[in-house]
Amino acid sequence: FSLKELHGIFPWLVESIFGSLDGIIVGWNLRCLQGRTNPNEYSVALDFLDPSGPMMKLVYKLQAEEYRYDFPVSYLPGPVKASIQEQVLPECSLYHNKVQFPSSGGLGLNLALNPFEYYMFYFAISLITQKNSPVTHHVSPSNSAYFILVDTYLKCFLPTEGSVLPPPSSNPGGAIPSPTPRSPAVPFSSYGMHHTSLLKRHIAHQPSVNADPASQEIWRSETLLQIFVEMWLHHYSLEMYQKMQSPHVKLEVLHYRLSISSKHHGSPAQSSYQALHAYQESFKPTEEHVLVVRLLVKHLHAFSNSLKPEPLSPSAHSHTASPLEEFKRVVIPRFVQEKLYIFLQHCFGHWPLDASFRAVLEMWLSYLQPWRYAPEKPPQSTEPLPRSVSEKWAAFIQENLLMYTKLFVGFLNRALRTDLVSPKNALMVFRVAKVFAQPNLAEMILKGEQLFLEPELVIPRQHRLFMSPTLGGSFLSSRSPAVTDASFKVKSHVYSLEGQDFQYKQMFGTEVRNLVLKLAQLICQAQQTAKSISDHSAETMASQSFFSWFRFTPSEMNGSYTGNDLDEIGQDSIKKTDEYLEKALEYLCQIFKLSEAQLTQMMMKCGTAQDENGKKQLPDCIASENGLILTALGRYQIINGLRRFEVQYQGDTELQPIRSYENAALVRLLFRLSSVLNERFADQMEVLCSREDFVGRLCRYHLTNPQLIQRIRYSPVVRDRTSQNWGPRISLRFLASYRTLISLLMIYFLASWFYIGPVGCTFIILIGYFLYAVIMTFFFEGWKPHEH
């Protein structure tokens, strides 16, 4: 194919692989392609799309001719799309000099991208657009072809060792030209003081034919990272977007809008409405999306930590540092920190309160621990002690203070609303507590908070701008003390992410400490709940033996439900829950210096101890004239399964619904027979039950239900119902139970082996039951009639 023909089919080929932007064309469906299920297609796709494969060779070949391809602005992330539609240029250099007005008769704005950018735009955005792909089997995102390709591209263009491999070229003595600056096709106003690209001093004015190889590697590396960050992390709400704008930037945008409105009446309002509509589009990242972002975060830590040690001589550093080394130094604070922080805030605030939040949690914890991806190996020790965080990471912690403190508070608020009895939720609390309990980490976070809370000294404004963490590199100045300089770095980080009017909530302050104490209370309650569930499960298994079939009165007749989700999980998971919660509580005590006395007082206050009957206490409620009324704490306890009322049938036991273990025809027949007997002998039964002698106690044992009042005490019913007295009566419903019928049949069958007929067997059964009733009457504390 000639270059002209390749230029024509390139957009079609990219769309055929990654799918269309509207999601109608699925393409190769790389996110669901796995080597385990489709080994041939999997290997072919990876070889074809490899950085040194045929597809990238085509990209570089078209790149040499400086072809451009249109990418619709309407498919960009909401904040970028809205700002471009308002003719306000985003601060990311990726969009500079690329926005084009539509051609005659065209619709919407487009970005004019070179082949490499066009290919990577489609590759990155396919993670978001292709959400409704048909899946016929379980897909593991970390084993998909898409996940492997992301990892491959990161290792190729952001190498931790060596330099970026040069692109293949058809010209042996030449190089693929880097993008050259283009004049803007539409007048735009920047909504912020955007930072100059690292490419500016390397390739902005170089001839494309003799481009420096160093500029080639930094161009592809920066472009790849910017595209990944913009497509995967640049999503947030209108309120967040407005909060990010500093006052002087808002004033600049306002002046620009006024100047536009004076020239074009009606147009700005239209664009503003479209921008608002774009922001209102809900953004719901998937678990796969978060896993890919975590892969990016882990690789960027390894990439940044592979930076060579700075030479002792500053002059030597200025001459020997390559563009790739400079890129490693600023890659996280300049390109990732702000957008990842906002992305995490969005996930913490909008992710469902279920176990799928584990993906977001692990991505956050990966960012908080750059030392895990450092090249040096931890010293081998025979003792299994946790590794202490080195002081050299203090600067990173201070420059990312909100990542540690504010998001920790966000996690506390989520944990307080989850069911900690669930093993998966307990594991998440354990993971966070374990990470923050690493030796020396809490002290460094506290030091960062102290630096932020230091009184601000009067220092020239130019120095403040120089202190911005987004500029990257070394911020230390020989003109001011290191502590003051570090204080300005922390303040600049916080205010650049949250605005000048941000009210900081101290992680080790009183308010957050109270949240931690409340979480510790819930952990203690969850441990008690898990223990009671474990005990109940053990009792249930013991009672479900073969001999329980010979019981005449089934325990299910009271209509109570005492189950829990953990009943289906098993004893092993309950033990894991208890282990996770116990270790999490220990770690929280280490982080916030909680004493044993505080824990004891807290447990007594929240009432986690069992009551005198060995049963779990009722939810927190207030007694009123209409019965029990739940408090806010009581509602929380019920929602999270920490406490509960006994769910029981409170009406006439004879009228409760027919159960699955009962014969419906016999239930109705026996009910009519019992009703006839009760109507005819009601007075006689009342007289017998009123007697204080042995006969009266025997009749009360058979003809009354003394457990009714006790059961009502555990339910928030109206007080009037507790005063209802059903009176002595005969109940034959137990004879309709399949368990009772099978037991009687087995007894008659066994009696036939001893040549005992049905009449004799019936007589023996009645005599045996009478003796059993007499014995039980001696040990039974009789219920006095007319006592309520």
Side-chain angles (χ1 to χ4, degrees), residues 301-509:
H301 274 319
F303 177 71
S304 180
N305 291 335
S306 66
L307 178 67
K308 298 177 182 178
E310 296 185 8
L312 299 178
S313 173
S315 59
H317 166 71
S318 60
H319 292 288
T320 59
S322 66
L324 186 62
E325 293 298 307
E326 294 184 20
F327 186 51
K328 291 179 181 180
R329 184 176 296 108
V330 302
V331 61
I332 290 180
R334 178 180 297 183
F335 295 97
V336 180
Q337 183 193 70
E338 180 183 34
K339 292 184 175 64
L340 181 63
Y341 172 72
I342 297 171
F343 180 80
L344 283 170
Q345 270 198 312
H346 179 85
C347 292
F348 273 58
H350 296 81
W351 202 277
L353 292 172
D354 56 20
S356 64
F357 186 72
R358 174 78 185 277
V360 179
L361 186 78
E362 294 298 337
M363 184 252 290
W364 172 50
L365 296 180
S366 295
Y367 183 83
L368 298 186
Q369 304 177 86
W371 46 87
R372 291 184 56 192
Y373 313 100
E376 66 268 13
K377 298 295 182 181
Q380 297 294 332
S381 176
T382 56
E383 299 181 359
L385 297 176
R387 181 185 176 189
S388 177
V389 180
S390 174
E391 286 292 337
K392 76 173 188 175
W393 300 107
F396 177 87
I397 294 173
Q398 293 168 10
E399 294 170 13
N400 293 271
L401 184 63
L402 290 178
M403 288 282 196
Y404 291 88
T405 59
K406 186 174 181 181
L407 292 183
F408 179 81
V409 176
F411 174 77
L412 283 180
N413 291 325
R414 286 186 61 93
L416 291 173
R417 292 178 290 161
T418 56
D419 179 14
L420 299 184
V421 183
S422 169
K424 295 180 180 179
N425 292 334
L427 175 59
M428 287 191 284
V429 176
F430 163 75
R431 288 283 297 122
V432 174
K434 182 179 179 181
V435 168
F436 278 85
Q438 295 178 84
N440 203 31
L441 178 57
E443 289 76 7
M444 286 192 285
I445 296 175
L446 179 60
K447 177 63 176 177
E449 289 192 324
Q450 292 172 350
L451 290 173
F452 174 74
L453 298 174
E454 279 187 0
E456 189 171 356
L457 301 177
V458 180
I459 292 185
R461 186 175 181 84
Q462 292 80 2
H463 184 69
R464 295 192 192 185
L465 294 177
F466 178 75
M467 296 299 301
S468 175
T470 55
L471 294 178
S474 177
F475 295 87
L476 298 180
S477 174
S478 59
R479 301 180 181 179
S480 58
V483 175
T484 305
D485 195 71
S487 176
F488 273 108
K489 281 196 296 182
V490 178
K491 293 177 186 292
S492 180
H493 153 72
V494 172
Y495 291 139
S496 64
L497 293 181
E498 292 290 347
Q500 296 290 334
D501 56 347
F502 175 62
Q503 299 295 325
Y504 182 75
K505 184 183 297 183
Q506 299 181 53
M507 178 175 169
F508 296 96

Side-chain angles (χ1 to χ4, degrees), residues 67-202:
Y67 284 117
R68 292 294 182 268
Y69 301 92
D70 290 338
F71 188 92
V73 171
S74 58
Y75 289 102
L76 292 176
V80 179
K81 174 174 62 174
S83 61
I84 292 179
Q85 289 175 346
E86 287 190 314
Q87 298 186 351
V88 179
L89 188 64
E91 65 178 1
C92 180
S93 60
L94 184 65
Y95 304 107
H96 293 177
N97 304 323
K98 291 185 175 67
V99 182
Q100 302 290 319
F101 269 133
S103 57
S104 57
L107 298 176
L109 297 170
N110 294 310
L111 295 179
L113 306 176
N114 62 52
F116 184 82
E117 294 169 338
Y118 187 80
Y119 173 83
M120 287 300 173
F121 259 82
Y122 262 86
F123 174 76
I125 207 170
S126 64
L127 178 65
I128 302 173
T129 56
Q130 302 293 331
K131 288 187 176 181
N132 298 321
S133 304
V135 179
T136 57
H137 56 275
H138 176 70
V139 177
S140 175
S142 59
N143 295 327
S144 67
Y146 187 89
F147 194 89
I148 301 300
L149 281 173
V150 171
D151 186 46
T152 303
Y153 289 153
L154 289 175
K155 291 178 179 177
C156 176
F157 296 108
L158 300 172
T160 56
E161 297 179 359
S163 58
V164 183
L165 295 177
S169 174
S170 57
N171 184 6
I176 302 301
S178 54
T180 56
R182 308 179 66 200
S183 58
V186 58
F188 273 80
S189 169
S190 173
Y191 66 60
M193 298 175 59
H194 60 270
H195 312 294
T196 306
S197 170
L198 288 172
L199 303 174
K200 184 173 181 180
R201 58 179 176 272
H202 294 288

